[in-house]
Amino acid sequence: MTAGHDLLITGACAVWTGLRGAEARLAGGQDIRIRAGRIAATGHLSPEPGERVLDARGGVVMPGWVNTHHHLFQSLLKGIPEGLDLDLMGWLSAVPVRWRRGFDQEHTLRLAARVGLVELLLSGCTTVSDHQYHLWPGMPWDPSAAVFDEAERLGVRMVLARGGQTVSRMVDTTPSPQVQPETLDQLLTGLARDVQRFHDPAPDAMRRVVCAPTTPTWSVLPDELDVIAREARALGVQLHSHLSETVDYVRYCREVHACTPLEFVERHGWVGPDVWYAHMVHLSPAEVQRCAETGTGIAHCPQSNGRLGSGVAPLVAALAAGVPVSLAVDGAASNEAADMLSEAHACWLIHRALHGAGALPVADVIHVGTAGGARVLGLDAVGTLRPGQAADLVIYDLDEPAHFGLHDPAVAPVVSGRGRARAVLVGGRVVVEDGAIPGLDLAELRAQAAAEVAALKTRLA
Ligand SMILES: [Zn+2]
């Protein structure tokens, strides 16, 4: 990893800011000056003495993507045949719940996290929120420390959403020690310990901790939701979970709680500008409005929702209503392309397919995937490319045949879903250089992943 305090990025074809409308792209000069990890200036700039110049000629620059919902451990559970054609409930039983028990040693989680983070980093993603629910009572190793350490080694900004459950999920039919629930006290103690060790409230924090029981409906008791929200807020951390992913999810809440999932969580204090939910596929117009009124955020996961046949979240309506909306890849076991560029491409296409070609401009997709994500995560100094902001950005090369013949290079990464990250910076540090992660042997990582998949199969046989 190269630490670069004084940098000048020059000659890009186009620079996206992460903002919407007229401010979406830099006008009047495409150079970017970086000082002490922050963007110092943009415009027509000449190199200064002692400044390292990063050549962006032929490339497109934009803020690094902010992925607001992931399950990094699933990066070794891609394309499992038994779950490939199942919807959410069947897939949960066949894939993550069944295979979780194979993650009985730190090495496996670390390797999975590394694979997922490398994929994201090379796609231009600079901030990742990992919903880590692989926790069990008496766990002999420390998964939070492992995930933070893997992120730090790669230079990625990490928001660890500490998951977990106090009741067994109904899909878990053959429990093993690795899928046993925690008690409420264990869950809260574990959260407080993680907050104390890792949480940084700074607007450009490299490490954040979030309170995130796996689902509010099935993973904890309703009364516990109130306690958990109160404790998390007292610790100064945000709340996150899965909500309204499928028709079954909504039906369950209606039958058991006589309300919608959003009404259910609101009863227990789980809405507000410090709360965001993954999916939110099945929201009524009134619920979209309620999210806007309360500032409750959404992690939109179009590829995972497509893969599992769950539906399409009302992103366009939510964006228009002022809901904090963001983009996320979800786990790689339900999205074998767990990179932010293909996610943005899918997002761009699917809402136009539903609502017409004018429904979602490229600039809005970039805004949702960058500034939108930073807003949802409360990282106010991240997600936009403006003077004073953290220097988290990606330079895309447009050197694939898909990019030959372009009239406006700026739109290329999102409209084609392709783009090689020539360089990626996080807080001004060059973490991808010449299309590669310095010090990382991709062939070796591939071999390690293949060996671990074989070992997982043996352990579960
Ligand atoms: Zn998820």
Side-chain angles (χ1 to χ4, degrees):
M1 217 141 345
T2 313
H5 293 294
D6 293 353
L7 280 169
L8 184 68
I9 297 171
T10 59
C13 295
V15 179
W16 293 97
T17 63
L19 302 171
R20 296 180 79 189
E23 295 178 300
R25 291 165 70 165
L26 275 193
Q30 313 287 355
D31 306 323
I32 302 157
R33 170 155 287 133
I34 295 164
R35 289 285 183 274
R38 298 219 170 213
I39 294 162
T42 60
H44 291 293
L45 306 170
S46 302
E48 291 181 351
E51 199 170 51
R52 184 185 163 203
V53 175
L54 271 185
D55 183 358
R57 273 177 299 179
V60 172
V61 179
M62 57 167 274
W65 297 102
V66 177
N67 171 22
T68 58
H69 181 76
H70 205 328
H71 308 288
L72 285 169
F73 86 93
Q74 293 180 11
S75 303
L76 292 174
L77 303 178
K78 296 173 187 170
I80 290 178
E82 295 83 353
L84 205 53
D85 299 322
L86 299 180
D87 63 12
L88 178 69
M89 292 310 274
W91 169 86
L92 278 170
S93 297
V95 182
V97 172
R98 173 162 190 267
W99 287 83
R100 244 187 77 182
R101 69 199 65 225
F103 288 70
D104 54 359
Q105 42 196 306
E106 181 174 339
H107 163 78
T108 314
L109 177 68
R110 273 188 178 267
L111 184 60
R114 201 175 311 148
V115 167
L117 290 170
V118 164
E119 181 181 12
L120 283 163
L121 204 48
L122 291 175
S123 81
C125 176
T126 51
T127 299
V128 177
S129 180
D130 181 31
H131 193 181
Q132 211 303 101
Y133 56 79
H134 191 54
L135 302 153
W136 71 87
M139 196 170 184
W141 44 281
D142 188 339
S144 302
V147 169
F148 276 122
D149 186 56
E150 290 296 328
E152 185 173 308
R153 285 164 187 251
L154 292 164
V156 175
R157 241 179 253 288
M158 172 56 65
V159 176
L160 184 78
R162 189 193 190 276
Q165 52 185 3
T166 63
V167 290
S168 272
R169 298 202 59 172
M170 57 185 178
V171 289
D172 187 9
T173 50
T174 51
S176 70
Q178 289 81 37
V179 294
Q180 292 298 321
E182 297 181 298
T183 64
L184 178 62
D185 189 50
Q186 286 168 335
L187 186 150
L188 293 173
T189 304
L191 174 70
R193 188 163 165 265
D194 279 358
V195 171
Q196 186 237 324
R197 292 186 298 161
F198 303 115
H199 183 71
D200 177 1
D204 59 348
M206 289 301 290
R207 291 178 163 187
R208 282 272 181 94
V209 174
V210 170
C211 175
T214 311
T215 70
T217 35
W218 294 296
S219 307
V220 295
L221 300 172
D223 289 350
E224 293 176 339
L225 280 173
D226 302 83
V227 179
I228 293 167
R230 209 162 45 235
E231 294 286 324
R233 288 187 170 119
L235 291 165
V237 299
Q238 289 181 274
L239 301 169
H240 174 57
S241 198
H242 297 95
L243 204 74
S244 298
E245 184 169 353
T246 60
V247 171
D248 288 338
Y249 200 128
V250 179
R251 186 185 301 133
Y252 176 87
C253 278
R254 287 209 176 277
E255 287 176 3
V256 175
H257 303 298
C259 60
T260 69
L262 190 70
E263 287 166 346
F264 170 67
V265 293
E266 181 161 10
R267 282 180 195 168
H268 297 284
W270 275 69
V271 296
D274 58 349
V275 188
W276 86 101
Y277 291 104
H279 307 304
M280 300 288 248
V281 172
H282 298 281
L283 289 185
S284 68
E287 288 178 298
V288 170
Q289 193 53 40
R290 192 64 191 138
C291 286
E293 288 162 2
T294 58
T296 306
I298 297 174
H300 177 42
C301 307
Q303 293 194 131
S304 173
N305 297 153
R307 156 82 149 79
L308 295 172
S310 302
V312 181
L315 176 82
V316 173
L319 189 61
V323 177
V325 284
S326 63
L327 197 60
V329 302
D330 204 3
S334 64
N335 178 8
E336 281 74 4
D339 74 272
M340 285 294 278
L341 205 48
S342 65
E343 200 70 45
H345 182 54
C347 179
W348 184 66
L349 289 175
I350 202 163
H351 296 285
R352 294 160 71 99
L354 283 176
H355 305 295
L360 194 61
V362 170
D364 283 0
V365 174
I366 291 174
H367 168 76
V368 169
T370 58
R375 179 183 174 193
V376 159
L377 299 180
L379 290 167
D380 297 341
V382 169
T384 53
L385 204 157
R386 290 178 293 165
Q389 290 289 91
D392 290 15
L393 55 86
V394 50
I395 304 171
Y396 285 116
D397 270 332
L398 305 179
D399 53 3
E400 296 181 48
H403 302 135
F404 303 170
L406 277 167
H407 286 229
D408 178 9
V411 300
V414 169
V415 302
S416 71
R418 296 185 179 90
R420 194 176 66 92
R422 181 191 304 178
V424 177
L425 276 64
V426 181
R429 293 174 80 193
V430 181
V431 295
V432 172
E433 197 167 3
D434 299 327
I437 297 170
L440 181 91
D441 185 338
L442 265 187
E444 187 188 348
L445 186 62
R446 179 184 178 183
Q448 288 171 337
E452 199 59 33
V453 165
L456 271 169
K457 286 179 177 175
T458 304
R459 289 211 285 281
L460 259 74

